[in-house]
Amino acid sequence: MAEIVAFSKEGRVGVITVNNPPVNALSQAVRAGIKAGIEKGIADADVSAMVIICEGRTFIAGADIREFGKPPMEPHLPDVCQFIEDSPKPVIAAIHGTALGGGLEIPLSCHFRIALSTAKVGLPEVKLGLLPGAGGTQRLPRVAGARSALEMITSGVPVAAARAKDMGILDEMVEGDLKAAALVFAQKVVDQKLPIRRVSQLKATVDSPTLFEDFAKANARKFRGFMAPFKCIEAVKAATELPFPEGMKKEREIFIELHDSNQSKAQRHVFFAEREVVRIPGLPDDHPTREIKSVGVLGAGTMGGGIAMCFANAGIPVKLLDMKQEFLDRGLAVIKKNYANTVAKGSLKQEVMDKRLSLIQPTLAYEDLKDADLVIEAVFEDMAVKKEVFTKLDAVCKPGAILASNTSYLNVDEIAAITRRPQDVMGMHFFSPANVMRLLENVRGAKTLPEVYATAMKVGKKIGKVPVLVGVCDGFVGNRMLAKRTRECGFMLEEGALPWQIDRVIYDFGFPMGPYQMGDMAGLDIGWRNRKAKFDSLTPREQKNNLLDKICEMGRYGQKTGSGFYKYDEKRNATPDPMIEELIINHSKEVGIARRTITDQEIIERAIYSMINEGAKILEERIAARPLDIDVVWLYGYGFPVYLGGPMFYADTVGLKKVYDAVLKYRDSVGAEYWTPSPLLEKLAKEGKGFYSK
Ligand code: 3HC
Ligand code: NAI
């Protein structure tokens, strides 16, 4: 087996090569190996300069995130970095792939940095709720200036080599053989006796006296709720005000504070959850899948158009079918407008738009779908229509084609049963706008073959989605849990709350918007239609809780009609509407409920804990295999705050005993038909465990 860090000599250059697949993360062995390599180079009289370079697909991608939360092991990264910088012999970092986090802090401690033109460098720690903890906040402002450092460190977004060179991060950009170029560079340093440049001895430049306050203010909305970006600003400011050793001390203090915070734990959980979610429990990673080279999409409406774009964007040709030419024309016009907007913003080239459009072929004939490897149906949400469409698909599609429905609520097994190939049928539930939203709920039916849903997971990833495998039930994972929140909010309105109070609490909790703002934006008629379809299955209290009916009957469908729960001006700015307040107060009278003060805490408990309890039921029923599947659905589909890690992770942070006690409290006050604790929640709470610490 190759050494994790090897030391070799090429002429008078000591080459320290890191080989720790897959991404050369800085595990203890790598840190120790690099330090030992530098020691060897210093001690060897035949070595005049050293190069740090990596094997495999990338330079070091950062600290080993799997070591976080475990007892720290020597040598610590900041000490390794300092050891490199203190070397009396010049050290050169040779970068390819992505040098991220600690993987950039090592080069910043080297005396020279060269990179392939295809390389990227960045400090993404903020995305893990952290800040660079091995001198990144102190050294980057010293090479790139405080403003650029603030941008890179608070966004976590890597920059390409050319930009990094302009910023002063890189000394040279090279093509071709990186090792050969690094050896030439090292020889030049030796031959020309170039002075060793220690970044810690440079001064960080500040281009405005109010830079830090202005930066925090300008990004207030983007950073809302997150601790780390504000702490990053504090640390970069320290680099401009304090001597290097004191700045390092400050950075360390903040790093430890953030590392131990629930936010960072949540964000680290999200990092692994979004990678784990594509793995199907019980199936090997290399389980056979079917090849998807062409796709059919049925229905050129809101969802069908977006879904067609997703495949065209990935270079997969699409046949888009609708009932009439005018519906196809309308659908294609929307697709064109969407692409044109992206071109106008400068994020898409006209030729690329043209190529993508050419991949979407409109058709009125089912016959044209006969060769498709995958067909996704996005026609009206009506079982009779779905059955008619699947019968036709069954008749024309080739054997082995996967037939998927984008239904939001209908029973996928019932749809599958109308065909002669239920093993090839499943749900692929995209979220609106389908070309933008990352979540894809892949719904496995009772008879769907593993090969079929494994293919849907793979193709989902290919088109840039975060696919989550779920089972068949009303609303699947996301909408089923959302329905509980919607119901509780509706009850709270009749008990004493107002829409804007609930919206404020949910927004402050960290969601992008509250449920009533969201309803107004999506169109209240969608929920109204759904309510009417389900009316007979509702409880008497739910049937009488008819505020939505009353509002929609007035033609108030939300933003698109200028009013809904709120009223809107021409710029779609919302203001609370006294008329709605009156309507709600009268409604409470009509249903005989005495209004009372509803606290913000009660809103959080009833809106969020009702979803957690439902999430626990979803786990029990195996609709979702793991709590992380539920978390990913909520993070990517509904804007659950990343720094809380998703509803199930958040529940663990709150403590399941507390959640369970609240469920019992509302069972007694609201009613057992709404608040019966899930047996899983009850069991874990009583055992003092969490969803993740069973
Ligand atoms: N530590 C441990 N494991 C890591 C890792 C890290 N820093 N980075 C990636 N991995 C693992 C992934 O979990 C994944 O494992 P799996 O195959 O078992 O699921 C595997 O490496 C491959 O990762 P990706 O699937 O993400 O591969 P990509 O090629 O799509 O992306 C990457 C590669 C751009 C390097 C991406 O993995 C990435 O962004 N990694 C995180 C980088 C990061 O956040 N670094 C900062 C760490 S914090 C730090 O350095 C603190 C310091 O300041 C003190
Ligand atoms: P839509 O009304 O915008 O589009 C439906 C399209 O299907 C129309 O163009 C219509 O002409 C076409 N169509 C209807 N019957 C057809 C048939 N027999 N053959 C061919 N084409 C036919 O509807 P939308 O919103 O796109 O919804 C489609 C499906 O996606 C529904 O099942 C819905 O529940 C689901 N969905 C909708 C979401 C949303 O936010 N709109 C989100 C996720 C899923």
Side-chain angles (χ1 to χ4, degrees), residues 91-114:
V91 186
I92 296 119
I95 300 169
H96 75 290
T98 41
L100 300 177
L104 177 57
E105 289 171 306
I106 293 228
L108 286 170
S109 312
C110 294
H111 309 118
F112 301 95
R113 292 162 288 282
I114 71 165

Side-chain angles (χ1 to χ4, degrees), residues 449-466:
L449 282 176
E451 179 180 307
V452 170
Y453 55 75
T455 303
M457 295 300 280
K458 194 168 158 192
V459 82
K461 222 178 148 187
K462 183 159 184 201
I463 61 172
K465 299 296 172 198
V466 180

Side-chain angles (χ1 to χ4, degrees), residues 360-437:
I360 303 176
Q361 293 287 317
T363 177
L364 293 168
Y366 275 80
E367 190 55 21
D368 285 343
L369 304 177
K370 69 178 192 322
D371 295 325
D373 299 311
L374 164 69
V375 179
I376 302 174
E377 160 283 307
V379 304
F380 301 139
E381 183 77 346
D382 177 317
M383 186 51 98
V385 181
K386 303 276 189 205
K387 284 187 174 169
E388 182 198 319
V389 160
F390 271 80
T391 306
K392 285 188 188 158
L393 287 177
D394 193 23
V396 299
C397 290
K398 67 180 182 188
I402 297 176
L403 309 183
S405 171
N406 182 48
T407 178
S408 311
Y409 292 97
L410 298 175
N411 187 321
V412 173
D413 289 330
E414 199 181 326
I415 297 174
I418 200 81
T419 71
R420 290 161 302 172
R421 45 174 122 180
Q423 73 282 359
D424 294 336
V425 178
M426 61 178 292
M428 287 180 80
H429 183 217
F430 290 74
F431 286 68
S432 182
N435 53 315
V436 176
M437 294 292 289

Side-chain angles (χ1 to χ4, degrees), residues 563-577:
S563 65
F565 280 94
Y566 294 81
K567 53 183 180 184
Y568 295 87
D569 63 17
E570 324 72 61
K571 288 188 182 146
R572 297 206 165 182
N573 292 317
T575 34
D577 192 339

